[in-house]
Amino acid sequence: MLHWSLIVSALGVCVSALGGYCGWVLFPSMVHKKVEQSVIIADGSEQYKRFVNLPQPLNFKVYIFNVTNPDRIQQGAIPIVEEIGPYVYKQFRQKKVKHFSRDGSKISYVQNVHFDFDADASAPYTQDDRIVALNMHMNSVLQISENDPGLALLLVHLNANLKAVFNDPRSMFVQTSVREYLFDGVRFCINPQGIAKAICNQIKESGSKTIREQSDGSLAFSFFGHKNGSGHDVYEVHTGKGDAMRVLEIQKLDDSHNLQVWLNASTEGETSVCNQINGTDASAYPPFRQRGDSMYIFSADICRSVQLFYQSDIQYQGIPGYRYSIGENFINDIGPEHDNECFCVDKLANVIKRKNGCLYAGALDLTTCLDAPVILTLPHMLGASNEYRKMIRGLKPDAKKHQTFVDVQSLTGTPLQGGKRVQFNMFLKSINRITITENLPTVLMPAIWVEEGIQLNSEMVAFFKKKLINSLKTLNIVHWGTLCGGLAVAVLSLLYYIYQRGRVEEPPVK
């Protein structure tokens, strides 16, 4: 007859094998299916509710480059700037769903955005702080007129009517408040007459998003006033049905699969890499991330897709994830040698650029994106060519503070923390026929930089741990408990059997 210890040992092996099967086959399959079900956007589901209303607002931080020597710059001196901020806003996003596709794999919507100033997080800064900043709207109007041959005659009239159009400017810089510069608007074209009125009408008809007509007929420039309220762009994204790895992937923008912003390939009908729409809008990412992979986000603010690369494993308040960051190919590697010369729109005359029309490394011309001669860099011109950085005093680039990154929960694709960090600049230069610009140095002048991101709050961390992390820990305990426990029982029972058998076979002592 079999000794009972052998039977127990065999049972231990079976339990251990069951633990291995559960831990390496059954549980991962169960978790995979559960995650798939949870990320797919289906009408009325919990994920649909989170999709329509983000569970928590995004952080929107603005840093302003205050100009400390505006009068000397007018005489040709190198600009000196100091960073002030952050001015912190809570960015609330709400999607207004238009419809699902027939098979449920696509959903289209417009997105409404609302900004609330966070006084506590911004302290000691307030929206009433006074600043001296680049006069973006005047500089923009002057450069657009200079670069458009059809508007060359306008420059003559602009020079004679600057006082009436732009409130008697004494320099290329404006004294205003943070509130006006960012959201409420810096007013101009206040009760113009004659030719000045015709110029103001032309500015109004140009359709710039950053310039809005006021109730009294004047115009006002603000960086973000146009973003505060109802959206107009119609997005179509994948719901994840049929392929969870494509969830929230942008399929169309305003009924088009591609942009018409950047240069296209010479072959007729072929879309260039610059005009391709790839990735999500950065509010969430596809699930089942792997070490060493990359992913895309699309930013409508800069009219382009951005590739993010795996950097390292991280822990965020006990939640494991992966960190992703932008690579050199964002704005450092641009030009024919990198097969993306489609970004070299070459819309600006007499600025600091390469002979082939491309800007130097670390700068991207957004003229065709924003209908204004705005130049994109990383904050404090991090990584930008010395041709730009040497012409400004007060920049302090720091990769830890100024690099774009995002920490993502690897299993679900949920963003844990991160920030999309970009800086908006504009060339300052002498413009023919405009007296106020005649002594200006040619420099890439910083205006503001912004950080748009998220830090999962304690409430969402607790929810996430309860729904996922604790369940995974429980399954892990069951897996290793049964595997190791069964193995231990099997080994101990076998050792006991061997010991007992040895005692039986031992010869009796005489």
Side-chain angles (χ1 to χ4, degrees), residues 262 302 304-307 309 326-335 337-338 340 343-344 354 358-366 375-385 388 402-404 421-425 444:
W262 308 101
I302 61 174
R304 65 163 294 185
S305 302
V306 180
Q307 191 173 15
F309 299 90
I326 58 172
E328 292 291 322
N329 64 342
F330 176 41
I331 49 177
N332 280 0
D333 296 345
I334 290 178
E337 65 272 32
H338 303 292
N340 60 3
F343 283 125
C344 302
R354 295 153 63 186
C358 298
L359 298 182
Y360 286 99
L364 177 67
D365 185 355
L366 296 181
I375 307 300
L376 180 78
T377 66
L378 292 182
H380 286 255
M381 299 188 188
L382 174 68
S385 173
Y388 301 131
H402 303 140
Q403 186 71 284
T404 290
R421 297 161 173 167
V422 292
Q423 179 171 307
F424 298 102
N425 316 264
L444 184 57

Side-chain angles (χ1 to χ4, degrees), residues 67-113:
V67 182
T68 63
N69 63 335
D71 295 335
R72 293 196 61 201
I73 298 172
Q74 284 296 129
Q75 302 306 315
I78 290 178
I80 302 174
V81 297
E82 62 175 358
E83 176 190 287
I84 57 174
Y87 296 89
V88 184
Y89 297 82
K90 293 179 179 178
Q91 184 190 112
F92 297 88
R93 293 185 180 182
Q94 183 181 48
K95 298 179 179 70
K96 185 178 180 181
V97 174
K98 296 178 75 69
H99 59 80
F100 281 89
S101 62
R102 288 185 178 181
D103 63 358
S105 66
K106 313 288 192 308
I107 184 173
S108 62
Y109 65 90
V110 293
Q111 183 163 254
N112 299 333
V113 179

Side-chain angles (χ1 to χ4, degrees), residues 19-154:
Y21 170 76
C22 289
W24 290 313
V25 180
L26 181 61
F27 291 166
S29 176
M30 288 169 53
V31 170
H32 194 282
K33 289 180 180 178
K34 189 68 176 176
V35 170
E36 277 192 341
Q37 292 171 359
S38 68
V39 301
I40 292 172
I41 302 167
D43 196 3
S45 67
E46 288 298 317
Q47 178 67 352
Y48 176 82
K49 294 174 184 176
R50 290 191 289 268
F51 170 76
V52 172
N53 288 294
L54 288 183
Q56 70 174 83
L58 300 181
N59 297 320
F60 190 78
K61 301 178 181 179
V62 185
Y63 299 80
I64 297 173
F65 289 100
N66 191 53
V67 182
T68 63
N69 63 335
D71 295 335
R72 293 196 61 201
I73 298 172
Q74 284 296 129
Q75 302 306 315
I78 290 178
I80 302 174
V81 297
E82 62 175 358
E83 176 190 287
I84 57 174
Y87 296 89
V88 184
Y89 297 82
K90 293 179 179 178
Q91 184 190 112
F92 297 88
R93 293 185 180 182
Q94 183 181 48
K95 298 179 179 70
K96 185 178 180 181
V97 174
K98 296 178 75 69
H99 59 80
F100 281 89
S101 62
R102 288 185 178 181
D103 63 358
S105 66
K106 313 288 192 308
I107 184 173
S108 62
Y109 65 90
V110 293
Q111 183 163 254
N112 299 333
V113 179
H114 177 70
F115 294 86
D116 276 349
F117 182 67
D118 191 332
D120 292 336
S122 302
Y125 301 107
T126 75
Q127 291 190 100
D128 296 320
D129 291 345
R130 303 297 295 180
I131 58 171
V132 177
L134 180 64
N135 192 327
M136 298 286 285
H137 50 289
M138 183 169 75
N139 197 32
S140 179
V141 169
L142 293 177
Q143 291 194 29
I144 289 173
S145 301
E146 178 192 40
N147 296 326
D148 188 338
L151 299 176
L153 186 61
L154 182 63

Side-chain angles (χ1 to χ4, degrees), residues 224-508:
F224 306 116
H226 65 283
K227 294 182 64 175
N228 202 6
S230 301
H232 301 287
D233 296 333
V234 180
Y235 287 84
E236 182 182 271
V237 301
H238 206 289
T239 63
K241 184 178 180 181
D243 187 355
M245 290 295 291
R246 299 184 66 187
V247 67
L248 291 177
E249 181 183 283
I250 298 173
Q251 305 296 295
K252 291 182 182 179
L253 179 59
D254 289 335
D255 207 33
S256 176
H257 291 285
N258 302 294
L259 300 174
Q260 298 297 325
V261 173
W262 308 101
L263 303 176
N264 269 324
S266 55
T267 307
E268 189 175 348
E270 185 177 341
T271 301
S272 67
V273 64
C274 305
N275 278 321
Q276 292 175 2
I277 300 175
N278 299 313
T280 73
D281 69 350
S283 61
Y285 303 90
F288 314 121
R289 311 308 312 163
Q290 300 291 325
R291 289 182 183 89
D293 66 1
S294 66
M295 57 188 184
Y296 281 91
I297 59 174
F298 175 76
S299 175
D301 293 335
I302 61 174
C303 301
R304 65 163 294 185
S305 302
V306 180
Q307 191 173 15
L308 299 173
F309 299 90
Y310 167 84
Q311 298 295 319
S312 62
D313 286 28
I314 58 95
Q315 284 276 339
Y316 178 78
Q317 297 188 30
I319 301 175
Y322 298 152
R323 172 160 294 184
Y324 292 82
S325 181
I326 58 172
E328 292 291 322
N329 64 342
F330 176 41
I331 49 177
N332 280 0
D333 296 345
I334 290 178
E337 65 272 32
H338 303 292
D339 296 323
N340 60 3
E341 64 267 35
C342 42
F343 283 125
C344 302
V345 294
D346 198 14
K347 289 288 185 178
L348 304 176
N350 304 317
V351 298
I352 305 170
K353 59 184 177 181
R354 295 153 63 186
K355 291 181 179 179
N356 61 5
C358 298
L359 298 182
Y360 286 99
L364 177 67
D365 185 355
L366 296 181
T367 300
T368 54
C369 170
L370 302 179
D371 294 321
V374 175
I375 307 300
L376 180 78
T377 66
L378 292 182
H380 286 255
M381 299 188 188
L382 174 68
S385 173
N386 196 42
E387 275 81 1
Y388 301 131
R389 289 190 290 120
K390 71 181 180 181
M391 298 300 294
I392 298 289
R393 300 286 183 267
L395 298 178
K396 299 175 182 178
D398 183 338
K400 289 184 179 179
K401 295 179 181 178
H402 303 140
Q403 186 71 284
T404 290
F405 80 98
V406 62
D407 293 342
V408 176
Q409 206 289 316
S410 53
L411 195 59
T412 64
T414 303
L416 303 173
Q417 69 170 342
K420 182 175 65 179
R421 297 161 173 167
V422 292
Q423 179 171 307
F424 298 102
N425 316 264
M426 191 176 282
F427 278 107
L428 194 64
K429 60 174 185 169
S430 174
I431 297 175
N432 189 33
R433 300 181 181 178
I434 303 298
T435 306
I436 200 172
T437 70
E438 59 187 4
N439 295 319
L440 289 175
T442 302
V443 298
L444 184 57
M445 190 75 199
I448 65 170
W449 73 271
V450 299
E451 177 180 340
E452 185 178 53
I454 190 172
Q455 280 191 316
L456 213 61
N457 60 31
S458 56
E459 183 181 344
M460 287 303 300
V461 167
F463 173 82
F464 203 86
K465 286 182 176 180
K466 180 181 178 181
K467 288 289 186 179
L468 179 68
I469 303 303
N470 292 345
S471 298
L472 291 176
K473 286 181 178 178
T474 300
L475 293 177
N476 205 37
I477 290 171
V478 172
H479 165 213
W480 289 108
T482 53
L483 177 67
C484 297
L487 194 60
V489 168
V491 171
L492 290 174
S493 298
L494 185 61
L495 290 174
Y496 181 79
Y497 171 76
I498 294 171
Y499 169 72
Q500 289 294 339
R501 184 168 181 175
R503 288 186 61 189
V504 170
E505 294 178 355
E506 231 177 62

